[in-house]
Every structure is written in C-alpha cells, then in structure tokens.
Amino acid sequence: MTKKTSLLALLSGLLMYLAWPPHTAFSPLLLLGLVPLFIALDDIKNNVQKHQGRAVFLTAGLAFFVWNTASIYWVFNAINAVNTGFVGYIVSFLVALLPYCFGAMLMTLAFWLYYRFRRYVHPVLAYGGLIVFYISLEYFYQSWDAPFPWMTLGNGFAGLHQVVQWYEYTGVFGGSLWILLSNILAYEALRQYQKHKKLQLALLCLVWVVGPIAFSLYRYRNYQEKTVPTQVVVVQPNIDPYQKWELNSAQNQLNILKKLSDSLGQVNTEYFIWPETAIPEYADEDRIRSNRYYTELQHFISKYKNASLLTGIETLRFYADKHSPTAKPRQNGEFYDNYNAAMQIENSAEVQFYHKSKLVPGVEKLPFQRYLSFLAPVFAHFGGSTGGYSWQEEPEVLYAYSGIGLAPVICYESIWGDWVAGAVKKGAQFIAVITNDGWWGNTSGKDQHLMYAKLRAIENRRTVVRSANTGISAIINQRGDIVQQAPWWTRTALRAEINLNDDKTFYTQQGDLIAKASSVLALMALAFTFFKAFRKNEQ
C-alpha cells in the first residue's frame, strides 16, 4: 500500500464509522463513505504493477477493520464476564476479536473478489458482481455457526428510520443494495465529471438516492395504524448482570419485578413484559407448576384477570436417553437440555415456552461444537451460561387466552429480520423483545441494539415492546418511532396502549429474497471467475 491509498482507506473507514448508529445525524454518509476506497482501488489498478491483488486486499482490509473496530468496540466488554483465569481470558479475547476480524475479512473478501471478477467482464457487470459478492457474504455471516450480522450495511439507517420505510418490502439487505449502488454511482459520477465535465451519472445517482427517500417519507407520513388497542406494561428492573447470580437473591429480584409491575398495572392491562432471564434460577419445564416461583407468579397475575405475563427464564428438560443432539449427560445416566427461554403464563393452567434460537457465539453456544468440544469447559463460564444453551429450530408465536399472539424475541435474535418475520408470518400481532444489555456497559452497543429493533417494526409493521433488564426499554410503533423510552441504568416501568396488526408485509411473507438471489448470482460469478483464471493459467 502507498501512503495515498492508506489515507484513502482510513478516510473510508472513518466516514463509515461516523455514519453508523448511534450517529444518526451523519447516517447519509453511508451513501458515499466508500467512495475514497474506490478511489484507492482505482489508484492501485493504474499505478501498482505487481501484487495488485494483495494491495487491494490490504487496502480494503484497512478500511473495513477501522470501521468495524470503531463501531463495535464494546464487544470486548465480554471479557469482563470471564472468570476462568489466564486461559479463559485469552480465549474470551479471541472470541471478542472474531466480530472485528472476521466481519472485516468478509467485507474485504467481497472487494477482492470484485477485483478478480472485473479482470474478465465489463465494468458495469463487475460492479454487479461486487454487490452480489458483498450481500451474499453478509448473508453468509448471519447464517453460519458463529453469526454476527450486527454490521450488515442495511442496519446503518436504523437511526434515520424515516428514510427506509421501504424495508417493509426488502428488509435490511435492500438497504445494503441501496448503499452499495449509491457509492458506486457517486464514484463513477465523480470520475465522469473529472474526465468529461458531464453530470449524467450525477443525475442518475441523485435519482437513485432521492427516489427511495421520497417514497419513504411519503409512506412514513401517510402510514396509519389500525386501531386495535391493547395495554402493556414493560418492566426494567435494572439488576446488574454481573451480580445477578451472586448478590441478589432470586426472591428479591422477583419482588422488584412484581412491585414495578403493580406500580403501573391496571384492570385492563393485557400484558406484562419482563426481561431476559428475569427469573434467575433454573426451572424444570415438565414440573413448572410445582415450582415455587411459578406459584408466586400465578398469585401476582391473578390480580389482573385479563392479563398474561411474558418473562425471561432459564429452563431445563430431562430425558432418560440422548433425546436431542444438544442433550448433555448427568451423573445419574440421564440427559438434559438447558435453555435461555421465554415463559408465558396467564390466569389458567396454560404455560407456554419459547427457547432462544439465535445464540451468542462463545457466550451462549460453542461454535462448531463438533470440532471444538474440548473448549466447552472454558465457554461454560461466559456470560452466565452453564455449559452452553440448547435451542429450537423455528420461530414461534405465543398466544394469550384472548387470542392475541406475540412474537417472543430474546436479545440477540432481534438483529435477524427474517427470523422475526417468521414469527409474524405465523400470526404474531406484536413483537416482544426481552433482553439484557448491561453486559456491554454504558457504550454504543446498547443504543445500536435498541435502534435495530426499529427496523423490525418497519419490516413487519408491528409494534415492538422492548423490556431490557438494565436498559434501554422502549415502546416502538409500527413506523419505527420510539414513542416511550426508559433511561439507561434506571429501575422503572413503562405503560402503553399499543395497536395490534394482522396484516402481513411483503417482507414478512417473502423474507430475505435479495440476499438469497445475491447468493445464487455470487456463486455463478465466482464459478465464472475461477473458470476464466484456470483457462488463463492453462494458456
């Protein structure tokens, strides 16, 4: 890399960081933040004679590493959750480093593949290859066994949600397409003006940028929620997650949750929403009705005849044999699964469970367990997980006896658009996110996580009710507006009248079509590139 290309790569990385949530005011920079990187790559093409591929990889890698590191620095706070000595600290450090390095590497790989592909095709087709390479690798990163789709490009407009109301058709991968093509058009418009003093591409770029924004603002201002009200109470107990299992007894925590709920509960309250792992002791799902805390919860909910309670809880299931692939052995020869779960109860004998499916790699699930099982004792101490959670394979809807259906979404799951849409497609009328964001401290991580929930509201046109143990709890309407928000690190509760919705958006019904189509096209472009390179070497 030359000094010039390095500075241009750094500039791109810094522009993308400034545009990333929670920096809402600078979000439009996403539409041109990659232009300096394109200039750097063009400089490499024209002036570097040897090892162009390596120069492209290092230049793009610098830009994406800076952007990723500056935006998700808070991941390293996970190290504070480890209490396994030097080896555990080193392993946790490597786990925390993975989102920076691997995410940046995939972004870099997309640009390197684009460099290889453009050697054999027309420049316009090469840009198409860049778009499908990039989006398909984003999709891969949310689909493999150690996913972290936090930095998917389309998430960048979570702070400025008014301009991406069209996510109800495309989801966040439509945002990735919009951002990538905007940067390409801006770069080519700059080149055209420098060489020929013409503005045709600049006008095309303007139409590509302004068109979706104009449609979005029109949709935002004219969208009307159906008036189908229900009252919910959202609780934020603000219990330090690092002391949750030591200094506070389960009974004390339960008393806090009930007191906050009673402070706002009314006769017509239909839902109480408590956060992730609000009940901090394991419960046997098959014997839940004999659990001492269940009895207390039933007594609490009996005061609200029309209400249901959704709470986070850690649960167990026991088997006589290895009933599931994730089942772990007990000393008595039996097996068990343990879950980070959501439990719904009401004024009846009905109890429903949902098991968190998108588990945090390293913290809640050992990635590639078949090959890394020897690390299980170390991972068992991360983030309060006792040996790695089990999970369920499909999203689920929990129904109240009144017929209201909610989509239970536990913490990390809220950044998967298609997963949440899967529950809405099954009949969920609103989305309940239960989370615990205190692991990351008072950093931008908690703000980003809250903002991403706004995109789920837009994609599905569902109200999002968010209960966070340590913040930030919120009520988000179907346009993505935060209509109520609890302060960070404050013990409080929120009450709101929310509107239910039965209509299904195009995105709810079809999911990530753009990402899936991009993956197919990327494979075709990759096969073509390898074929051409092979033929060239043969000749």
Side-chain angles (χ1 to χ4, degrees), residues 315-359:
T315 64
L316 298 163
R317 280 186 174 175
F318 296 98
Y319 319 109
D321 52 20
K322 192 170 177 58
H323 184 79
S324 72
T326 58
K328 295 171 279 291
R330 302 180 68 196
Q331 290 183 349
N332 63 1
E334 294 182 344
F335 292 81
Y336 74 98
D337 278 321
N338 57 311
Y339 302 97
N340 184 349
M343 177 177 71
Q344 181 172 295
I345 66 170
E346 55 193 33
N347 285 295
S348 72
E350 179 73 14
V351 184
Q352 299 173 70
F353 291 100
Y354 165 73
H355 303 135
K356 184 178 181 181
S357 303
K358 303 297 183 182
L359 299 171

Side-chain angles (χ1 to χ4, degrees), residues 60 120 164 185 217 416 505:
Y120 307 112
V164 289
L185 289 173
L217 292 176
W416 268 266
T505 67

Side-chain angles (χ1 to χ4, degrees), residues 204-353:
L204 178 60
C205 181
L206 188 64
V207 170
W208 173 253
V209 170
V210 172
I213 292 176
F215 172 80
S216 183
L217 292 176
Y218 174 83
R219 182 69 171 142
Y220 177 78
R221 290 168 183 162
N222 291 278
Y223 180 81
Q224 296 291 329
E225 295 185 6
K226 292 181 179 179
T227 306
V228 187
T230 189
Q231 188 186 99
V232 298
V233 171
V234 177
V235 175
Q236 181 173 295
N238 197 50
I239 297 166
D240 191 330
Y242 291 105
Q243 300 177 0
K244 186 177 180 69
W245 282 268
E246 287 98 25
L247 300 182
N248 278 292
S249 72
Q251 185 61 56
N252 287 341
Q253 294 178 50
L254 188 57
N255 291 340
I256 292 169
L257 290 159
K258 292 191 298 179
K259 183 178 179 179
L260 289 169
S261 300
D262 285 330
S263 70
L264 292 180
Q266 296 180 330
V267 174
N268 61 335
T269 300
E270 293 190 75
Y271 260 103
F272 292 92
I273 311 294
W274 293 0
E276 180 184 19
T277 62
I279 311 300
E281 287 193 6
Y282 273 98
D284 183 347
E285 291 187 12
D286 295 326
R287 297 177 177 83
I288 189 64
R289 292 173 184 81
S290 61
N291 182 282
R292 56 175 175 161
Y293 297 117
Y294 173 80
T295 303
E296 199 164 340
L297 294 177
Q298 280 291 95
H299 182 264
F300 159 75
I301 204 70
S302 66
K303 294 180 289 184
Y304 307 94
K305 300 301 181 183
N306 299 316
S308 299
L309 167 66
L310 179 76
T311 180
I313 187 172
E314 293 183 286
T315 64
L316 298 163
R317 280 186 174 175
F318 296 98
Y319 319 109
D321 52 20
K322 192 170 177 58
H323 184 79
S324 72
T326 58
K328 295 171 279 291
R330 302 180 68 196
Q331 290 183 349
N332 63 1
E334 294 182 344
F335 292 81
Y336 74 98
D337 278 321
N338 57 311
Y339 302 97
N340 184 349
M343 177 177 71
Q344 181 172 295
I345 66 170
E346 55 193 33
N347 285 295
S348 72
E350 179 73 14
V351 184
Q352 299 173 70
F353 291 100

Side-chain angles (χ1 to χ4, degrees), residues 189-204:
L190 177 64
R191 287 185 66 200
Q192 186 187 64
Y193 182 76
Q194 288 175 334
K195 290 183 178 181
H196 308 293
K197 304 301 180 183
K198 294 182 179 180
L199 295 174
Q200 290 94 328
L201 279 177
L203 292 174
L204 178 60

Side-chain angles (χ1 to χ4, degrees), residues 45 55 144 163 443 455 488 495 525:
K45 178 184 176 183
W144 77 321
V163 304
T443 66
L455 302 181
W488 161 253
R495 182 178 63 219

Side-chain angles (χ1 to χ4, degrees), residues 1 4-16 32-45 55-65 67 104 107-112 114 118 127 130 134 180 183 187 190:
M1 290 191 298
K4 178 183 177 181
T5 56
S6 298
L7 290 174
L8 287 167
L10 283 171
L11 179 58
S12 262
L14 291 173
L15 287 173
M16 297 300 285
L32 51 81
L34 295 175
V35 170
L37 178 58
F38 281 115
I39 296 172
L41 298 182
D42 194 50
D43 186 73
I44 291 171
K45 178 184 176 183
V56 167
F57 194 89
L58 291 175
T59 303
L62 176 61
F64 292 123
F65 185 76
W67 170 34
M107 297 173 185
T108 303
L109 179 61
F111 273 74
W112 182 82
Y114 154 69
R118 75 180 181 184
Y127 280 134
L130 171 61
Y134 196 100
L180 288 168
N183 277 274
Y187 167 65
L190 177 64

